[in-house]
mmCIF file of all heavy atoms in Angstrom:
data_model
loop_
_atom_site.group_PDB
_atom_site.id
_atom_site.type_symbol
_atom_site.label_atom_id
_atom_site.label_comp_id
_atom_site.label_asym_id
_atom_site.label_seq_id
_atom_site.Cartn_x
_atom_site.Cartn_y
_atom_site.Cartn_z
ATOM 1 N N ARG A 301 7.194 6.947 -11.969
ATOM 2 C CA ARG A 301 7.326 5.545 -11.575
ATOM 3 C C ARG A 301 7.053 5.331 -10.097
ATOM 4 O O ARG A 301 6.633 4.260 -9.690
ATOM 5 C CB ARG A 301 8.712 5.008 -11.934
ATOM 6 C CG ARG A 301 9.865 5.706 -11.231
ATOM 7 C CD ARG A 301 11.199 5.248 -11.792
ATOM 8 N NE ARG A 301 12.318 5.999 -11.228
ATOM 9 C CZ ARG A 301 12.947 5.626 -10.126
ATOM 10 N NH1 ARG A 301 12.581 4.528 -9.498
ATOM 11 N NH2 ARG A 301 13.940 6.352 -9.654
ATOM 12 N N ASN A 312 -11.495 28.518 -7.242
ATOM 13 C CA ASN A 312 -11.352 29.900 -7.688
ATOM 14 C C ASN A 312 -11.336 30.042 -9.201
ATOM 15 O O ASN A 312 -11.311 31.154 -9.715
ATOM 16 C CB ASN A 312 -10.072 30.494 -7.092
ATOM 17 C CG ASN A 312 -10.134 30.564 -5.579
ATOM 18 O OD1 ASN A 312 -11.046 31.150 -5.014
ATOM 19 N ND2 ASN A 312 -9.181 29.932 -4.919
ATOM 20 N N ARG A 313 -11.360 28.924 -9.918
ATOM 21 C CA ARG A 313 -11.494 28.984 -11.373
ATOM 22 C C ARG A 313 -12.978 29.098 -11.722
ATOM 23 O O ARG A 313 -13.788 28.273 -11.292
ATOM 24 C CB ARG A 313 -10.884 27.758 -12.036
ATOM 25 C CG ARG A 313 -9.368 27.728 -11.971
ATOM 26 C CD ARG A 313 -8.797 26.578 -12.791
ATOM 27 N NE ARG A 313 -9.150 26.678 -14.205
ATOM 28 C CZ ARG A 313 -8.729 25.815 -15.123
ATOM 29 N NH1 ARG A 313 -7.957 24.797 -14.777
ATOM 30 N NH2 ARG A 313 -9.088 25.952 -16.392
ATOM 31 N N LEU A 320 -12.855 21.266 -16.232
ATOM 32 C CA LEU A 320 -13.130 19.848 -16.478
ATOM 33 C C LEU A 320 -12.338 19.357 -17.687
ATOM 34 O O LEU A 320 -11.793 18.237 -17.670
ATOM 35 C CB LEU A 320 -14.631 19.657 -16.698
ATOM 36 C CG LEU A 320 -15.179 18.233 -16.593
ATOM 37 C CD1 LEU A 320 -14.901 17.631 -15.221
ATOM 38 C CD2 LEU A 320 -16.673 18.233 -16.868
ATOM 39 N N ILE A 409 -7.790 12.829 5.330
ATOM 40 C CA ILE A 409 -8.177 13.026 6.725
ATOM 41 C C ILE A 409 -7.515 14.262 7.301
ATOM 42 O O ILE A 409 -6.295 14.414 7.256
ATOM 43 C CB ILE A 409 -7.784 11.790 7.564
ATOM 44 C CG1 ILE A 409 -8.492 10.545 7.034
ATOM 45 C CG2 ILE A 409 -8.098 12.012 9.030
ATOM 46 C CD1 ILE A 409 -7.996 9.263 7.659
ATOM 47 N N GLY A 412 -8.888 17.421 12.793
ATOM 48 C CA GLY A 412 -10.094 17.713 13.557
ATOM 49 C C GLY A 412 -11.201 16.699 13.381
ATOM 50 O O GLY A 412 -12.162 16.679 14.162
ATOM 51 N N ILE A 476 5.754 25.463 2.659
ATOM 52 C CA ILE A 476 5.923 26.761 1.994
ATOM 53 C C ILE A 476 4.914 27.754 2.572
ATOM 54 O O ILE A 476 3.709 27.487 2.565
ATOM 55 C CB ILE A 476 5.728 26.628 0.477
ATOM 56 C CG1 ILE A 476 6.872 25.816 -0.133
ATOM 57 C CG2 ILE A 476 5.652 27.998 -0.190
ATOM 58 C CD1 ILE A 476 6.765 25.631 -1.630
ATOM 59 N N TRP A 496 7.923 13.534 8.351
ATOM 60 C CA TRP A 496 7.754 12.163 7.854
ATOM 61 C C TRP A 496 8.873 11.265 8.370
ATOM 62 O O TRP A 496 8.631 10.144 8.830
ATOM 63 C CB TRP A 496 7.736 12.186 6.322
ATOM 64 C CG TRP A 496 7.673 10.833 5.696
ATOM 65 C CD1 TRP A 496 6.558 10.081 5.483
ATOM 66 C CD2 TRP A 496 8.780 10.066 5.207
ATOM 67 N NE1 TRP A 496 6.907 8.873 4.888
ATOM 68 C CE2 TRP A 496 8.257 8.848 4.712
ATOM 69 C CE3 TRP A 496 10.152 10.292 5.137
ATOM 70 C CZ2 TRP A 496 9.072 7.869 4.152
ATOM 71 C CZ3 TRP A 496 10.966 9.318 4.586
ATOM 72 C CH2 TRP A 496 10.420 8.120 4.097
ATOM 73 N N LEU A 507 4.633 4.117 6.086
ATOM 74 C CA LEU A 507 4.034 5.419 5.810
ATOM 75 C C LEU A 507 4.628 6.026 4.543
ATOM 76 O O LEU A 507 5.845 6.168 4.413
ATOM 77 C CB LEU A 507 4.283 6.358 7.000
ATOM 78 C CG LEU A 507 3.638 7.742 6.952
ATOM 79 C CD1 LEU A 507 2.117 7.633 6.980
ATOM 80 C CD2 LEU A 507 4.133 8.593 8.131
ATOM 81 N N TYR A 540 14.678 29.310 -2.077
ATOM 82 C CA TYR A 540 13.786 30.374 -2.517
ATOM 83 C C TYR A 540 14.599 31.453 -3.232
ATOM 84 O O TYR A 540 15.649 31.892 -2.733
ATOM 85 C CB TYR A 540 13.065 31.021 -1.336
ATOM 86 C CG TYR A 540 12.102 30.125 -0.598
ATOM 87 C CD1 TYR A 540 11.905 30.274 0.780
ATOM 88 C CD2 TYR A 540 11.377 29.137 -1.252
ATOM 89 C CE1 TYR A 540 11.014 29.462 1.460
ATOM 90 C CE2 TYR A 540 10.498 28.329 -0.577
ATOM 91 C CZ TYR A 540 10.317 28.491 0.781
ATOM 92 O OH TYR A 540 9.432 27.683 1.459
ATOM 93 N N ALA A 558 12.219 39.957 -14.359
ATOM 94 C CA ALA A 558 12.462 39.542 -12.979
ATOM 95 C C ALA A 558 12.619 38.027 -12.887
ATOM 96 O O ALA A 558 13.454 37.512 -12.131
ATOM 97 C CB ALA A 558 11.322 40.015 -12.082
ATOM 98 N N GLY A 592 14.021 31.446 -23.958
ATOM 99 C CA GLY A 592 12.702 31.202 -23.386
ATOM 100 C C GLY A 592 11.685 32.215 -23.878
ATOM 101 O O GLY A 592 12.036 33.329 -24.282
#
Side-chain angles (χ1 to χ4, degrees):
R301 62 188 174 89
N312 296 304
R313 289 187 61 178
L320 196 59
I409 300 171
I476 292 180
W496 176 83
L507 185 65
Y540 294 147

